[in-house]
């Protein structure tokens, strides 16, 4: 019996690398979509390069997606590719819409045209809840997006539902709350903090500038979340699920734990910079993943403090290696 075949867009990102590892462990033949670029960044999947197959295609190019599906013929398709950094979406709102909203439509159209039996996963985001209408947020909570990124994600979420209901596709959305890891991009606040803490501890940096320390988020571990993505595509019926820990922490708590882990007082190093506040702030997000726990049997395995310490340790190790 041949191995199940999966295609991951955004395979070079944090979630893509963890998902590729998970699928390989489960015996999948793993294919990844990458964009043509003059500078390739395969750092997160370098240890997997001889076990996966990479293909060039682009969410902005419908024909390239059709050709990709015709070539790979996956059983499962995980759409993790997007312009995913909220501050960038304010600077490049149109490009964000092209990738994060219309890119989903192009992929779904390719699935519909090439093989409607492909099981499709869309990476939705807790940012869609924005100015939250209830606490905590579940699958029925109304969306109130507060950034171009979040608006684009709402489009991607509903176009996935529309293709499921209109064409009978097995299409699911995972509404993931913030999930982090040592592979998180340095532009995201968690990794910005842990990387800075490592450099400050090693004498390579003397301060850290941050925006809203009181913003509160539901932070989990990316390795746990990709397991939920996979579980969604193993069900008998397609559906949408909130993926979250249900526990909320402030940016200040993140900072306190990270600095405490290396024996430093955060107050001596952290500066609040008003320029780093969002044009429209999202002050509080906390997810209710009871449906995923009940129907998928999913639950997180890494708590917030473990996650922060894991990330600090990884950044310390990176910088120690760089200066040795």
């Amino acid at each position: 019996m041949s191995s199940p075949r999966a295609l991951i867009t955004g395979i070079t990102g944090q979630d893509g690398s963890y998902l590729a590892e998970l699928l390989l462990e489960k015996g999948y033949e793993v294919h990844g979509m990458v964009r043509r670029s003059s500078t390739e960044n395969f750092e997160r999947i370098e240890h997997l390069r001889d076990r996966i197959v990479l293909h060039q295609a682009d969410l902005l190019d419908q024909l390239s997606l059709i050709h990709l599906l015709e070539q790979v013929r996956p059983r499962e398709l995980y759409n993790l590719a997007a312009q995913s950094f909220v501050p960038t979406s304010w600077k490049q709102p149109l490009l964000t819409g092209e990738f994060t909203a219309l890119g989903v439509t192009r992929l779904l159209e390719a699935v519909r045209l090439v093989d409607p039996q492909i099981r499709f996963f869309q990476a939705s985001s807790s940012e869609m809840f924005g100015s939250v209408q209830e606490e905590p947020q579940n699958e029925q909570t109304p969306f109130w997006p507060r950034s171009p990124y979040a608006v684009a994600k709402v489009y991607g979420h509903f176009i996935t539902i529309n293709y499921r209901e209109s064409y009978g596709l097995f299409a699911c959305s995972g509404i993931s709350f913030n999930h982090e890891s040592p592979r998180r991009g340095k532009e995201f606040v968690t990794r910005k903090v842990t990387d800075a803490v490592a450099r400050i501890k090693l004498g390579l940096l003397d301060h850290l500038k941050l925006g809203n320390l009181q913003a509160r988020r539901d932070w989990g571990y990316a390795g746990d979340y990709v397991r939920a993505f996979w579980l969604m595509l193993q069900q008998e019926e397609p559906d949408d699920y909130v993926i979250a820990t249900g526990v909320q922490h402030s940016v200040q708590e993140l900072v306190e734990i990270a600095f405490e882990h290396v024996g430093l007082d955060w107050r001596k190093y952290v500066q609040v910079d008003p320029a780093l506040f969002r044009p429209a702030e999202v002050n509080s997000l906390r997810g209710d993943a009871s449906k995923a726990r009940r129907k998928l049997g999913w639950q997180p395995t890494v708590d917030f403090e473990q996650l922060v310490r894991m990330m600090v340790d990884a950044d310390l190790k990176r910088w120690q290696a760089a200066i040795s």
Side-chain angles (χ1 to χ4, degrees):
M1 186 175 176
S2 61
S3 301
R5 188 176 302 144
L7 173 63
I8 304 170
T9 75
I11 195 170
T12 60
Q14 169 189 257
D15 292 4
S17 65
Y18 281 110
L19 180 59
E21 286 177 348
L22 176 73
L23 295 177
L24 287 169
E25 287 171 9
K26 293 185 176 298
Y28 278 68
E29 180 185 320
V30 177
H31 295 251
M33 186 187 97
V34 295
R35 297 184 70 208
R36 171 75 178 89
S37 174
S38 56
T39 56
E40 294 180 335
N41 181 16
F42 295 152
E43 178 186 356
R44 295 184 183 94
I45 56 169
E46 199 58 53
H47 63 297
L48 305 174
R49 285 294 299 276
D50 61 342
R51 302 172 61 199
I52 60 178
V53 183
L54 299 180
H55 307 263
Q56 286 185 1
D58 199 309
L59 288 179
L60 304 186
D61 184 350
Q62 178 76 71
L63 200 55
S64 73
L65 300 176
I66 291 171
H67 288 328
L68 176 62
L69 292 189
E70 288 175 338
Q71 181 182 0
V72 176
R73 294 286 174 175
R75 185 176 83 178
E76 297 170 9
L77 169 54
Y78 297 86
N79 182 35
L80 310 184
Q83 190 302 99
S84 59
F85 189 46
V86 173
T88 297
S89 77
W90 291 105
K91 296 176 181 176
Q92 296 182 302
L94 297 179
L95 187 66
T96 298
E98 285 287 350
F99 277 116
T100 308
L102 293 180
V104 186
T105 315
R106 295 185 188 102
L107 262 182
L108 287 164
E109 266 296 279
V111 169
R112 185 179 72 84
L113 292 169
V114 175
D115 182 3
Q117 299 306 307
I118 294 171
R119 296 192 165 206
F120 180 85
F121 172 82
Q122 166 61 14
S124 289
S125 168
S126 61
E127 286 284 336
M128 301 188 304
F129 295 118
S131 183
V132 295
Q133 303 301 291
E134 62 183 19
E135 183 88 18
Q137 297 86 53
N138 61 33
E139 292 81 4
Q140 273 67 55
T141 302
F143 298 136
W144 195 303
R146 298 267 285 173
S147 68
Y149 166 77
V151 171
K153 277 293 186 182
V154 170
Y155 176 99
H157 182 80
F158 278 121
I159 200 68
T160 300
I161 292 172
N162 270 262
Y163 270 69
R164 178 171 74 219
E165 295 179 348
S166 301
Y167 300 117
L169 299 186
F170 193 107
C172 303
S173 283
I175 308 172
S176 297
F177 280 64
N178 296 63
H179 46 290
E180 320 296 321
S181 75
R183 300 178 194 172
R184 188 57 141 156
K186 291 181 183 178
E187 68 272 24
F188 292 88
V189 68
T190 46
R191 184 70 194 293
K192 181 180 179 180
V193 168
T194 62
D195 181 71
V197 166
R199 285 189 287 158
I200 289 169
K201 179 64 176 178
L202 296 172
L204 303 172
L205 189 69
D206 59 10
H207 71 279
L208 166 63
K209 287 186 177 182
L210 292 171
N212 184 7
L213 294 182
Q214 303 315 310
R216 301 180 67 81
R217 293 291 185 272
D218 182 333
W219 276 297
Y221 172 52
D224 285 337
Y225 283 47
V226 299
R227 187 161 32 87
F229 302 171
W230 175 76
L231 284 168
M232 286 181 214
L233 296 196
Q234 312 315 308
Q235 305 307 302
E236 289 188 13
E237 298 294 333
D239 206 347
D240 306 319
Y241 298 86
V242 162
I243 307 300
T245 70
V247 182
Q248 190 183 61
H249 298 274
S250 68
V251 174
Q252 183 169 316
E253 288 176 77
L254 161 69
V255 169
E256 289 172 356
I257 293 168
F259 275 94
E260 182 185 351
H261 187 51
V262 296
L264 297 176
D265 181 355
W266 70 275
R267 298 175 193 85
K268 296 180 180 178
Y269 304 99
V270 174
Q271 302 172 5
V272 173
D273 183 352
L276 296 176
F277 281 63
R278 295 182 181 186
E281 194 64 52
V282 174
N283 293 311
S284 176
L285 292 171
R286 181 165 68 92
D288 173 8
S290 54
K291 179 179 174 181
R293 292 172 186 259
R294 185 177 69 254
K295 290 195 169 185
L296 304 179
W298 176 85
Q299 59 182 8
T301 64
V302 177
D303 69 25
F304 181 66
E305 289 194 10
Q306 290 174 312
L307 175 62
V308 176
R309 290 171 183 150
M310 174 202 304
M311 293 175 68
V312 171
D313 287 342
D315 280 321
L316 272 171
K317 187 176 179 181
R318 278 194 193 97
W319 282 108
Q320 286 166 339
I323 62 179
S324 63

